[in-house]
């Protein structure tokens, strides 16, 4: 556990030193306009907005590409006695990136005065914490798929194209257009959870969603782990 935390700190240090992090975070400012937003509405709308998952996933794709093409990962990978810890750390790191970008936008929105903080009377802190954590875990699971895709293809272009296709609903719209069968299992996809997760906490819905997230994350990271054992990480 101590080793995992140390490498998480190292990735956070690398994060704040990479220009791509600030570029991806700055893109979120496009969300703002001159109108005034009710703060509770904005807090629930923002995680479902296309730009937040896109910014997080794009940064993670660039982050993975940079550490492999630069050779940095070759020096770190052998230090992990249990290889699954590297993937667990990366899952947690995605959560850190997500929360960092979320916090940046909320702070900027408050500074710019585009949020009306007097609309928080009916706001439930517990409901929102459950909501934002679930949204964060969805993106972390999708990021696990991005990592798996990069390890399979070793293509930066394919990985970025997937991020664009996922974030802007291109793949799902195309899939639903081409196959009626997709509708039957659409509700079990991470994308469905992200865009339909109810704002008030519901034990049954959140429990089902969490099970799908955990299953997806284990599947993607399990495949990535097999790839890492079979191939040279460089």
């Amino acid at each position: 556990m101590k080793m995992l935390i140390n490498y998480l700190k190292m990735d956070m240090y690398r994060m704040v030193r990479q220009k791509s992090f600030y570029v991806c975070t700055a893109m979120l400012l496009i969300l703002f306009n001159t109108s005034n937003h009710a703060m509770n509405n904005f807090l629930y709308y923002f995680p479902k907005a296309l730009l937040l998952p896109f910014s997080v996933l794009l940064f993670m794709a660039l982050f993975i590409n940079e550490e492999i093409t630069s050779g940095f990962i070759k020096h770190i990978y052998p230090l992990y006695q249990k290889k699954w810890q590297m993937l667990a750390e990366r899952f947690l790191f995605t959560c850190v990136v997500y929360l960092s970008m979320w916090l940046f936008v909320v702070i900027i929105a408050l500074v710019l005065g585009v949020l009306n903080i007097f609309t928080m009377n009916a706001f439930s802190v517990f409901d929102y914490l459950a909501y934002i954590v679930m949204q964060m875990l969805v993106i972390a699971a999708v990021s696990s798929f991005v990592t798996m895709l990069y390890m399979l293809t070793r293509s930066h272009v394919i990985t970025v194209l997937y991020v664009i296709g996922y974030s802007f609903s291109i793949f799902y719209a195309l899939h639903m257009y081409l196959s009626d069968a997709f509708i039957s299992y659409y509700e079990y996809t991470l994308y469905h959870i992200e865009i339909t997760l109810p704002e008030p906490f519901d034990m049954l819905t959140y429990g089902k969603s969490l099970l799908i997230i955990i299953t997806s994350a284990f599947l993607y990271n399990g495949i990535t782990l097999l790839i890492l054992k079979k191939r040279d990480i460089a």
Side-chain angles (χ1 to χ4, degrees), residues 33-231:
N33 52 46
T34 55
S35 61
N36 188 266
H37 300 273
M39 187 164 184
N40 52 350
N41 292 337
F42 179 84
L43 289 177
Y44 279 111
Y45 157 78
F46 175 46
K48 291 183 178 180
L50 296 176
L51 282 177
L52 180 58
F54 175 67
S55 297
V56 174
L57 294 174
L58 179 61
F59 171 73
M60 292 305 301
L62 296 174
F63 189 85
I64 295 166
N65 178 71
E66 187 277 333
E67 67 181 2
I68 291 181
T69 55
S70 68
F72 177 81
I73 194 68
K74 292 172 62 177
H75 302 290
I76 298 301
Y77 182 70
L79 300 179
Y80 283 95
Q81 296 179 350
K82 298 178 180 179
K83 305 307 180 186
W84 62 266
Q85 290 183 339
M86 184 176 74
L87 300 177
E89 183 275 332
R90 190 50 49 87
F91 187 91
L92 294 176
F93 176 62
T94 306
C95 294
V96 171
V97 173
Y98 184 95
L99 290 177
S100 298
M101 292 187 178
W102 172 86
L103 185 61
F104 167 81
V105 169
V106 172
I107 291 176
I108 293 297
L110 290 171
V111 170
L112 295 178
V114 298
L115 295 184
N116 184 357
I117 62 174
F118 299 104
T119 60
M120 302 291 289
N121 294 334
F123 187 78
S124 169
V125 174
F126 173 79
D127 283 357
Y128 186 72
L129 286 177
Y131 174 80
I132 194 66
V133 168
M134 288 293 291
Q135 293 285 6
M136 175 186 71
L137 293 177
V138 167
I139 299 305
V142 176
S143 180
S144 296
F145 181 86
V146 171
T147 301
M148 181 193 75
L149 183 63
Y150 187 88
M151 293 301 176
L152 278 171
T153 64
R154 296 300 174 95
S155 172
H156 176 59
V157 174
I158 291 176
T159 308
V160 171
L161 286 176
Y162 171 79
V163 169
I164 295 172
Y166 173 87
S167 301
F168 294 94
S169 312
I170 298 173
F171 293 146
Y172 290 89
L174 182 63
H175 201 161
M176 293 186 73
Y177 175 76
L178 295 176
S179 174
D180 292 336
F182 180 64
I183 300 175
S184 62
Y185 62 85
Y186 171 63
E187 63 177 296
Y188 300 103
T189 63
L190 294 170
Y191 182 78
H192 179 266
I193 296 173
E194 179 192 341
I195 65 173
T196 64
L197 189 71
E199 299 169 4
F201 177 78
D202 177 74
M203 180 64 75
L204 182 61
T205 303
Y206 275 61
K208 175 184 175 182
S209 300
L210 184 60
L211 181 61
I212 294 172
I213 293 170
I214 293 174
T215 302
S216 300
F218 269 97
L219 175 63
Y220 302 148
N221 285 312
I223 294 174
T224 303
L225 191 60
L226 290 175
I227 296 171
L228 291 175
K229 289 181 178 181
K230 296 292 184 178
R231 293 184 182 179

